[in-house]
Amino acid sequence: MAFDLRAALLRKEEKESARLMDFEFRQRARCFRLMAEALGIDSAALVRAIALHADAAILDGLANDLPRSREELGQLYAKCRADAHRQLVDELGDPTPHRLG
């Protein structure tokens, strides 16, 4: 039985893709949870919105519902996204793909 390099690389790609998608989802959810806390609104409702809408659409909806400008919400979003990334790296490790070797 010979080693199948193609199959090994495909398995690695599937695992890396799943790991990176999981990290991205966690970062997105944490980002909006942090935003909800900063804005003093229900975090569960805001996090549920990520299943239905893109980030820009969520921010547009918040700008319509809250007395904050879209620009201000964009800045808060960027800060919360960076904070969420930093927290997840501390908890889960760096999401950079692992190299073969």
Side-chain angles (χ1 to χ4, degrees):
M1 184 177 244
F3 177 72
D4 187 353
L5 179 61
R6 180 179 180 279
L9 290 173
L10 287 174
R11 280 191 306 273
K12 179 190 181 307
E13 181 181 3
E14 287 174 4
K15 288 179 184 175
E16 288 295 320
S17 294
R19 190 177 63 78
L20 291 171
M21 285 188 293
D22 177 66
F23 189 91
E24 175 63 28
F25 176 78
R26 288 173 187 255
Q27 180 181 3
R28 195 168 174 230
R30 176 112 17 133
C31 170
F32 281 106
R33 187 173 294 117
L34 291 171
M35 279 192 71
E37 290 172 8
L39 295 170
I41 60 176
D42 180 30
S43 64
L46 192 57
V47 170
R48 279 193 303 270
I50 70 173
L52 303 172
H53 306 287
D55 293 359
I58 295 171
L59 294 175
D60 290 341
L62 288 173
N64 289 334
D65 296 342
L66 299 174
R68 304 256 180 135
S69 71
R70 176 62 171 82
E71 182 180 328
E72 185 181 357
L73 289 170
Q75 291 171 353
L76 178 62
Y77 170 80
K79 179 190 177 303
C80 290
R81 187 163 173 83
D83 290 345
H85 185 272
R86 204 170 16 261
Q87 290 174 9
L88 287 169
V89 167
D90 289 345
E91 292 172 20
L92 305 173
D94 190 354
T96 305
H98 302 295
R99 298 196 180 268
L100 289 177

